[in-house]
Amino acid sequence: MALRREVRFSGAVALVLAAAPLTALAQFDPQPPPPFTPAADAKDLKAVLFNWAWHMGMLRGLDEHEITATLEYQGMGTIQVKGQTCKLTKFRASTNYQLPGQRVQYTCTLSNGKTVNGIEVLSGPYAWNEDVVGAEIIKGKGKATPMAGAVEERTIRLWASPQGAVKAALAGAKQPDPGALPDNGGNTTGDTKLVWEGGKAVVTFPIPDVAGAVATATLSSNYMAERVVVKHGSTTTEFTYGDYADWNNPLNKIEVLYAGKLEETKNGATVRDLTTTETETGSVYVVMPVPASVRASIKAPASFEKVAVTPPARFNFPGVVDAPQNLNTPTPRLADGKPDLTGNWNSTAMNWRYGNRRCGPTQTSDCTPAWNQTIDFEFEAPSRYGPNRPLYKPELWDKIQQLDMWTNKYDPVMTCQPLGIPRQGPPRRVYHNPNDITFIYGEYADGGGGYGEYRIIPTDGRKRDETKALETKYMGYTIGHWEGDTLVLDSS
């Protein structure tokens, strides 16, 4: 049976989004100044935070922003379930630092032989448990249980993680780009402070969004977090990390390091003891939309709804800023009264900030800047990067992550095939007539992949031809119809 999806375009909204002329697509970012490089013996806060992110493999792109947006972690070991040790047969943590949020899925066995399954989710100020992935996102599927009391614990865990800790330290310094920190040789910037103890850098910073929670990270001689201790009221949570390596699959080694051993204790009692089996650190697909029942149950700060749309600057996810729009401009219309979508459309999905990055401190002698250009792109590829990712059906989320993790094996762009819909992205040019609408797409939509494609979609009221729907086409089989001022596209 054909895979079908329905897409709705509101004519008025679509025209508001038509921002810049097509020529703007060629206007890439200007060349940045030479990247910051600390002196070999520098011990100030700027040097330490830079080296922390750099040695972790987190400075990517031409201007070397700290840019691990999302990642997937899989491991084995034990966790605590209601005060009992539970031996894991499955553990995966999917993290999105842009939201921020995290979904943890596990299956484990208690000492009495009982199997326990759990799905624990955090999304901004909301926490809940699911009985199936994406519970309640589709009406009638699954149950989401609000867990207001778990918000702070899960937030601390996210920002004390190997990648999260350096992000939180930069957020405390009010400057998410370590190369742009004040170059004054000082040891305090904003709320982030540095001291040296026994020859090791010790960085103290607040945990974002948890009032009164303060983290202290002790770094190794090669700037990896060995220990992160978070004090919050009467609770002390300690995270111990070791065996840092590139744990990505063999086809996608990209020199982003993650801890191979992770232990978490709370007030001295072990909560998690994990050994890493696999990661995907190149901006894997991670979403965690908040179910309506959870949103209604947990009171979120008034500022959150804005943050959910535009990630706060403190976490630095560079993107194209749309030009201001005049919302009072009348919607152009065809002779039949339907909104006219004809025109040049600006595609803002691409972030051309990658290419020719210098070699990292952990990369081998055969590293070249050109090689880094190749492995850097996925960090900002439109299909992987940014808050406006397509929301697939929840039962497909794990599969999409798996395809991301093994992209060099499964991705059609690796064999020079077209990207297809929806990955091809928005059309660059639209021609609109009373009986059909034509979308013309540009090249290089994703990492050099994507071709100049087009599709002509009838809107004349015809019925679907299920024989055509069964044909395999990269651009799909689509018919359209109008519901008021909304154009509905039904695609296979």
Side-chain angles (χ1 to χ4, degrees), residues 94 99 101-105 118-135 144-147 150-151 154 287-291 294 298 397:
S94 308
L99 291 173
Q102 186 175 71
R103 173 177 287 103
V104 174
Q105 303 176 57
I119 305 174
E120 302 173 354
V121 191
L122 170 76
S123 184
Y126 301 104
W128 68 97
N129 291 347
E130 301 174 336
D131 60 350
V132 295
V133 172
T145 303
M147 300 290 292
V151 172
R154 296 179 187 179
V287 294
M288 51 271 302
V290 183
V294 174
I298 299 176
W397 293 348

Side-chain angles (χ1 to χ4, degrees), residues 301-470:
S303 60
F304 174 71
E305 293 305 325
K306 181 178 180 181
V307 170
V309 176
T310 304
R314 59 189 172 161
F315 302 133
N316 192 49
F317 301 101
V320 179
V321 178
D322 288 332
Q325 302 299 316
N326 182 357
L327 302 182
N328 297 317
T329 302
T331 299
R333 294 185 180 271
L334 297 172
D336 62 4
K338 299 301 182 185
D340 184 1
L341 305 183
T342 298
N344 291 330
W345 288 61
N346 182 28
S347 173
T348 60
M350 185 65 70
N351 293 319
W352 290 100
R353 287 189 176 90
Y354 75 102
N356 296 316
R357 175 177 56 85
R358 59 182 163 179
C359 296
T362 64
Q363 292 183 288
T364 57
S365 58
D366 60 353
C367 167
T368 66
W371 170 246
N372 277 342
Q373 172 176 335
T374 300
I375 67 175
D376 276 1
F377 183 81
E378 64 188 85
F379 283 84
E380 293 189 79
S383 61
R384 289 170 171 253
Y385 184 80
N388 296 320
R389 304 181 183 202
L391 186 60
Y392 296 95
K393 292 181 178 180
E395 60 265 30
L396 301 177
W397 293 348
D398 287 354
K399 178 65 173 179
I400 293 164
Q401 287 181 353
Q402 188 68 18
L403 292 175
D404 268 358
M405 292 177 71
W406 289 89
T407 182
N408 286 3
K409 181 178 181 180
Y410 296 119
D411 193 337
V413 78
M414 300 302 294
T415 51
C416 298
Q417 299 177 63
L419 297 177
I421 298 295
R423 185 178 176 189
Q424 183 72 39
R428 303 286 179 87
R429 176 82 184 179
V430 176
Y431 294 95
H432 197 177
N433 299 301
N435 292 323
D436 59 52
I437 185 168
T438 300
F439 291 166
I440 297 180
Y441 299 88
E443 294 182 295
Y444 315 124
D446 194 351
Y451 303 91
E453 305 282 351
Y454 72 93
R455 54 179 180 157
I456 301 174
I457 302 168
T459 58
D460 56 5
R462 70 182 65 182
K463 301 297 182 183
R464 288 177 56 82
D465 184 336
E466 295 301 335
T467 301
K468 290 184 177 180
L470 292 173

Side-chain angles (χ1 to χ4, degrees), residues 272-290:
R272 295 183 177 184
D273 189 354
L274 302 173
T275 298
T276 304
T277 57
E278 186 176 22
T279 62
E280 171 54 61
T281 50
S283 297
V284 71
Y285 182 87
V286 179
V287 294
M288 51 271 302
V290 183

Side-chain angles (χ1 to χ4, degrees), residues 149-174:
V151 172
E152 292 183 343
E153 176 186 53
R154 296 179 187 179
T155 301
I156 288 171
R157 182 175 292 129
L158 183 149
W159 291 122
S161 65
Q163 261 72 18
V166 63
K167 285 175 170 287
L170 288 164
K174 309 296 191 296

Side-chain angles (χ1 to χ4, degrees), residues 191-208:
D191 298 319
T192 298
K193 300 176 176 60
L194 166 70
V195 298
W196 287 84
E197 297 178 357
K200 293 183 177 182
V202 180
V203 183
T204 301
F205 52 90
I207 293 291

Side-chain angles (χ1 to χ4, degrees), residues 36 46 49-50 53 59 64-66 170 175-181:
F36 166 76
K46 179 177 182 178
L49 291 182
F50 180 91
L59 299 184
E64 297 188 342
H65 282 280
E66 189 288 298
L170 288 164
Q175 175 48 263
D177 179 358
L181 288 165

